[in-house]
Amino acid sequence: MNARKSSNKMGLDLYQSDNLRPLQRTKRSWIITTFELEEEDKGPFPKLVGELFNNMSYNMSIKYLISGPGVNESPEFGLFSIEDNANGHVYIHRTIDRENTPYFKIRFDVENTVTGKTVDRSLFFIIKIKDINDNAPKFPKEEFNIAIKENHDTDKPVFNVTAFDKDEKDTANSRVTYSLTTQTPNLKEPRFNIHPTRGFIVISGCLDHQTASSFKLLIKARDDGTPQMSSTATVNIAVEDANNHPPEFTKENYQLQIEEGKVGPGVLRLHVEDQDSPNTPAWRAKYKIVKGNEKEQFIVETDPETNEGILRVIKPLDYEGDSEKRLVISVENEEPLSSCHKGKLRSPPVAPISASVAVKVLDTNDAPEFHPPTLVLQKEEGVKPGTRLGKYSAVDPDVVPNNIKYTVFHDPAGWVTVDENSGVITAMKELDRESPYVNDSVYPIIFHAIDDGVPPLTGTGTILLYLSDINDHMPTLVTRSLEVCDKAILTPLIIKAEDNDSHPYASPFTFKLADDSKSIKQNWRLGKSFGDSVELLMLRNLPRGKYLVPLLILDRQGLFSMKQKLSVRLCRCPDGHVCEEPNSVPLSLGGGAIAVILAALLLPLVAGCLLLQCYCGSENRKSQANLPFEEGNQTLIKYNEESGNVLSQVMPDVLDYESQLSTYAQVRKGKQMPEDVNGMAPSPSLTSSRGHYDQGRYRLYHLSNREENMVTYQPHTYAEEGKLERSGSFRSLLIFDDELPKDFLDTLGPKFAALDEICQK
């Protein structure tokens, strides 16, 4: 009770003295004493660590509450408590490790004991744990293994070690000092040292792999706390050999004999010795020919197993050119040479170590050599047999020349021959640039020159015979026939030509229409020219059939061979692009069928002629030049003789209306028709006095429209006279839908029914 009264009196005094300050604007509600805690405190526990006071205790009955880490939260549950909540005595219950928890942030509250309500704001207080030196510095590992080169630079650290102390940072307890305790082997040179605060290891003096290939260092790390604490670590250092010994030839002079003209590996081996560790860059040798290899005929390689130098001949030697040679070969290591001078490393300028190789070239028979190896001759094509083309000779490089014979080795066209003694080349055949053996105007020929040495050797030479062109070919059509849809008016057709000659005797070509007739000019015209091709334009819609377009094609020199004819087939295109194939169905007729046809045709034709003669006799009195083309008047017109010449192309505007009348009148009278405009004789009458049916080609015309043009059709021979072979069907006759009505055969009368039935089959 006395303690409580004294504490309350102390709090009241502090409160009153606080309020007696007139300039103090903030009124304190909490008063707390200093909390002093040290890690690893041994107790006894519970132990009072501080007191709390809140001035609300003057007005009401209060109690103090404590919470947070170390009370009811991690870490350290139950470490702090208030034993009597009516006063603010704070206790600790066990030892604290600062390295685990360096401080605690605790919350203090005050409540009314009657209502249980908080009567003041919470107080957060940080309790810091005082550090003691209870941790020694620790290395990450107890042992380190490193390797350094024998020629390690003394100005650079060898290794760096670092120890860590868990005690409070930036205090004497965590400040670390390094020292080298022992060095094994303990040599006067080299010596290892360590920086006292930074921990990097340095070396003084030069390492020698032959003297000491490894070192062991014991490193100590201690702190500055009280009492001082320390730990140690071991550093094992392996010293790798460096190049401090140059390679040396075991022999300074070598002798070598080599036959001329030969190449091959391993003509000579050069041996060296090196005191550095084998199979290291300090031991492996590099060889170099420093003199006598100006023509680059030799090379030196290193044997990876023995470290020897292997001398090889990579280009043939020539006795006549140089019968003796002296090679100077140097050697050095892959790694630069280094040395130690007064404890410091240096790379001294070392003269290369060399050996001499005397090479003697042995004479052998050499093959003849053509000069030049490839000769270019230019000739004009058309050279006649027996013409001398030139001379191609070879020389023997031997000191004592041998006799040489010449032969033709490769001449695929068999154009040339060569004089075996002189090498004079003569043409055996006419030279043709368009030969399939000529490529880009060049014809290659290979010759052999054979000496009489021992053994006989052969030299090879090549002539590239360049043939210049002459204008011995005329341009021709690439294709002589075209197919075009009948509606393709003014659609360009591309006509392409070719010429086997070369520049300047070939393209660009000049295209012309070779016929100035009205029928050609009204139907066809040439368009744009593209060098080796030209556009052909159809100027108006023409009936289906085949048309011949005459052309002249001139080369660049204006020469042409003859008139060329392009066949243009005008056809029906169901898809608008591709012509349909002609519908050809074969019809086979026996002797009985032919007799029926003849009988069916003779009677109505005789009756028709009689009626026509009567009708025409009366009409001649009215008008001799007018033929009434009324509906119902038909006729059969035979166009050409059986197996005769094909009619030339006749355009619709060639035959006028008057010639049609003349032709009709001659058929009616049964007279022999005169030759047509193309020089072809028309066919005789349909029947003859012998009663034979001439199997010629016939065409039915509907003569009802006198304004329509006559159309010419291509002839077709169905059978030769006196033969009963299979012939083409009548369906292949070219008949336009707009020329005959569909019921035309029905209007001819009942006697044509038998013919109609045969044609329908």
Side-chain angles (χ1 to χ4, degrees):
M1 290 294 293
N2 292 333
R4 182 177 180 182
K5 288 180 180 179
S6 62
S7 64
N8 288 338
K9 185 176 184 303
M10 179 186 67
L12 180 62
D13 292 340
L14 290 173
Y15 175 74
Q16 290 176 346
S17 64
D18 209 29
N19 285 308
L20 290 176
R21 299 175 184 177
L23 297 178
Q24 186 73 26
R25 293 182 178 273
T26 302
K27 184 177 180 180
R28 291 183 180 177
S29 59
W30 285 97
I31 298 174
I32 186 169
T33 61
T34 301
F35 283 56
E36 292 187 0
L37 295 176
E38 188 176 79
E39 67 171 332
E40 304 299 337
D41 190 353
K42 304 301 181 182
F45 300 106
K47 183 178 181 179
L48 180 66
V49 294
E51 297 182 33
L52 302 173
F53 175 76
N54 190 286
N55 58 12
M56 299 299 293
S57 62
Y58 296 115
N59 302 325
M60 63 188 73
S61 175
I62 62 173
K63 64 178 180 179
Y64 296 94
L65 303 176
I66 184 173
S67 62
V71 182
N72 58 353
E73 296 178 11
S74 63
E76 302 283 349
F77 282 93
L79 182 63
F80 299 99
S81 69
I82 296 179
E83 294 296 318
D84 184 2
N85 55 13
N87 55 50
H89 294 178
V90 180
Y91 290 86
I92 187 171
H93 293 270
R94 58 182 179 270
T95 301
I96 305 174
D97 186 0
R98 192 206 68 85
E99 283 69 42
N100 292 332
T101 311
Y103 66 90
F104 295 89
K105 186 177 182 180
I106 300 177
R107 175 178 175 175
F108 297 103
D109 292 293
V110 60
E111 290 183 356
N112 189 318
T113 56
V114 177
T115 62
K117 292 183 179 181
T118 302
V119 296
D120 201 352
R121 61 184 179 179
S122 301
L123 173 65
F124 290 91
F125 191 78
I126 295 177
I127 300 176
K128 187 176 180 181
I129 310 301
K130 184 179 180 182
D131 183 40
I132 65 173
N133 191 21
D134 58 344
N135 292 281
K138 293 290 184 182
F139 290 97
K141 296 192 299 182
E142 293 183 357
E143 188 171 2
F144 299 89
N145 297 303
I146 64 172
I148 61 174
K149 295 287 291 183
E150 182 182 15
N151 57 354
H152 184 82
D153 191 351
T154 56
D155 295 331
K156 295 181 180 180
V158 174
F159 189 61
N160 192 12
V161 293
T162 304
F164 301 92
D165 196 311
K166 293 182 179 180
D167 290 323
E168 187 174 357
K169 188 178 181 181
D170 298 329
T171 65
N173 294 339
S174 61
R175 190 179 302 118
V176 179
T177 302
Y178 301 96
S179 61
L180 177 62
T181 302
T182 60
Q183 171 185 318
T184 305
N186 188 14
L187 302 176
K188 183 178 180 180
E189 186 178 298
R191 297 298 303 175
F192 290 92
N193 297 290
I194 188 168
H195 193 279
T197 58
R198 299 175 64 181
F200 55 79
I201 301 171
V202 294
I203 187 175
S204 61
C206 299
L207 296 170
D208 188 354
H209 178 268
Q210 283 72 26
T211 303
S213 60
S214 64
F215 291 89
K216 178 180 288 188
L217 307 180
L218 184 63
I219 307 299
K220 181 180 179 180
R222 63 173 178 83
D223 60 27
D224 294 338
T226 303
Q228 286 186 340
M229 305 187 73
S230 64
S231 62
T232 60
T234 301
V235 179
N236 298 314
I237 302 176
V239 179
E240 296 179 350
D241 190 20
N243 186 21
N244 51 8
H245 297 89
E248 295 181 359
F249 284 103
T250 59
K251 187 177 179 180
E252 294 184 358
N253 298 295
Y254 294 86
Q255 303 291 330
L256 179 62
Q257 291 184 347
I258 304 175
E259 289 186 359
E260 68 170 338
K262 289 188 176 181
V263 297
V267 295
L268 180 65
R269 282 183 170 263
L270 308 172
H271 184 69
V272 295
E273 291 180 348
D274 197 315
Q275 297 180 21
D276 293 314
S277 299
N279 300 314
T280 63
W283 175 83
R284 286 191 286 267
K286 295 192 305 180
Y287 297 88
K288 182 180 180 181
I289 303 176
V290 297
K291 187 178 180 182
N293 194 31
E294 289 76 12
K295 295 182 180 180
E296 298 182 349
Q297 296 170 308
F298 299 90
I299 189 174
V300 183
E301 298 174 336
T302 302
D303 188 327
E305 299 295 332
T306 64
N307 213 28
E308 293 176 319
I310 304 174
L311 181 64
R312 293 177 50 201
V313 180
I314 59 175
K315 293 182 180 179
L317 303 178
D318 184 12
Y319 175 84
E320 288 72 25
D322 196 354
S323 60
E324 292 185 357
K325 287 180 174 291
R326 182 177 177 272
L327 305 178
V328 178
I329 302 174
S330 66
V331 63
E332 61 183 1
N333 294 122
E334 293 181 358
E335 183 180 304
L337 184 67
S338 62
S339 64
C340 184
H341 179 68
K342 295 182 180 181
K344 293 291 184 179
L345 287 173
R346 65 187 181 93
S347 298
V350 179
I353 301 171
S354 61
S356 176
V357 180
V359 180
K360 184 177 181 181
V361 182
L362 303 179
D363 187 23
T364 59
N365 184 30
D366 295 316
E369 297 177 356
F370 282 95
H371 295 286
T374 301
L375 177 65
V376 178
L377 290 180
Q378 183 172 357
K379 298 294 179 180
E380 192 174 79
E381 71 168 333
V383 171
K384 301 303 180 182
T387 304
R388 173 173 169 164
L389 302 180
K391 183 178 181 180
Y392 194 26
S393 59
V395 296
D396 194 318
D398 290 318
V399 176
V400 180
N402 299 303
N403 296 322
I404 298 176
K405 299 291 185 180
Y406 299 94
T407 61
V408 178
F409 175 72
H410 178 72
D411 179 18
W415 283 353
V416 301
T417 182
V418 63
D419 186 275
E420 67 174 7
N421 296 316
S422 64
V424 174
I425 304 169
T426 306
M428 294 178 59
K429 297 179 181 179
E430 183 176 341
L431 307 185
D432 182 11
R433 194 191 64 86
E434 285 75 28
S435 169
Y437 301 105
V438 176
N439 186 17
D440 293 333
S441 301
V442 177
Y443 178 72
I445 311 171
I446 300 176
F447 295 90
H448 278 174
I450 307 171
D451 66 15
D452 58 354
V454 180
L457 294 180
T458 301
T460 301
T462 302
I463 286 183
L464 299 179
L465 185 58
Y466 180 82
L467 298 177
S468 57
D469 194 19
I470 61 175
N471 199 3
D472 57 347
H473 293 86
M474 299 298 123
T476 58
L477 290 171
V478 175
T479 177
R480 296 183 176 273
S481 62
L482 294 175
E483 290 185 344
V484 60
C485 298
D486 55 357
K487 303 300 182 183
I489 183 173
L490 294 180
T491 300
L493 305 177
I494 302 300
I495 304 172
K496 190 175 180 64
E498 61 183 358
D499 193 325
N500 290 331
D501 291 323
S502 61
H503 179 80
Y505 305 117
S507 62
F509 302 129
T510 301
F511 296 85
K512 296 180 180 180
L513 290 175
D515 192 340
D516 292 335
S517 63
K518 184 178 180 181
S519 60
I520 295 297
K521 287 187 174 181
Q522 289 182 351
N523 297 331
W524 308 99
R525 179 171 62 85
L526 295 180
K528 294 181 180 179
S529 179
F530 305 100
D532 62 348
S533 61
V534 71
E535 294 178 345
L536 177 65
L537 304 175
M538 185 172 65
L539 300 180
R540 60 177 179 172
N541 286 327
L542 300 176
R544 299 171 193 161
K546 288 187 178 180
Y547 298 87
L548 294 178
V549 180
L551 296 170
L552 286 180
I553 307 175
L554 291 72
D555 64 14
R556 191 167 186 175
Q557 304 300 323
L559 299 181
F560 63 94
S561 59
M562 57 182 297
K563 183 190 301 184
Q564 303 182 51
K565 293 184 179 181
L566 176 70
S567 174
V568 180
R569 177 180 170 236
L570 199 62
C571 55
R572 177 176 175 269
C573 301
D575 60 354
H577 302 286
V578 181
C579 289
E580 67 177 354
E581 295 295 332
N583 186 13
S584 176
V585 179
L587 177 63
S588 177
L589 299 178
I594 294 176
V596 172
I597 294 174
L598 292 176
L601 289 175
L602 286 176
L603 185 58
L605 287 177
V606 173
C609 290
L610 294 175
L611 292 175
L612 185 60
Q613 184 176 4
C614 295
Y615 177 80
C616 293
S618 61
E619 288 295 318
N620 285 336
R621 291 188 299 268
K622 298 178 181 180
S623 176
Q624 292 294 331
N626 185 20
L627 179 66
F629 280 36
E630 296 179 355
E631 185 176 0
N633 292 334
Q634 300 91 15
T635 184
L636 293 174
I637 300 176
K638 183 176 181 184
Y639 270 72
N640 60 338
E641 295 288 352
E642 61 186 75
S643 303
N645 294 330
V646 178
L647 287 172
S648 301
Q649 176 180 349
V650 180
M651 301 312 300
D653 55 344
V654 174
L655 298 177
D656 57 11
Y657 180 70
E658 295 295 330
S659 64
Q660 296 176 24
L661 292 178
S662 175
T663 302
Y664 177 81
Q666 292 175 1
V667 171
R668 179 178 62 84
K669 296 177 181 180
K671 297 180 179 180
Q672 180 69 25
M673 294 178 63
E675 293 185 354
D676 61 5
V677 294
N678 290 302
M680 300 300 297
S683 303
S685 61
L686 297 178
T687 59
S688 66
S689 59
R690 296 173 300 185
H692 292 285
Y693 174 67
D694 297 333
Q695 297 183 25
R697 188 172 178 211
Y698 292 90
R699 186 72 174 93
L700 296 173
Y701 279 94
H702 191 286
L703 304 177
S704 62
N705 188 353
R706 65 184 62 186
E707 285 81 15
E708 290 185 359
N709 293 328
M710 298 293 290
V711 181
T712 303
Y713 302 91
Q714 295 298 317
H716 182 80
T717 301
Y718 285 87
E720 298 290 336
E721 181 179 14
K723 297 182 180 179
L724 296 178
E725 57 187 7
R726 297 170 60 91
S727 59
S729 171
F730 283 24
R731 295 182 183 180
S732 62
L733 292 173
L734 190 59
I735 300 175
F736 297 107
D737 294 339
D738 55 352
E739 292 185 72
L740 295 175
K742 295 182 179 180
D743 57 347
F744 174 72
L745 293 177
D746 296 335
T747 62
L748 297 178
K751 292 188 177 182
F752 280 86
L755 178 60
D756 181 29
E757 290 178 359
I758 294 175
C759 294
Q760 295 295 334
K761 291 182 180 180

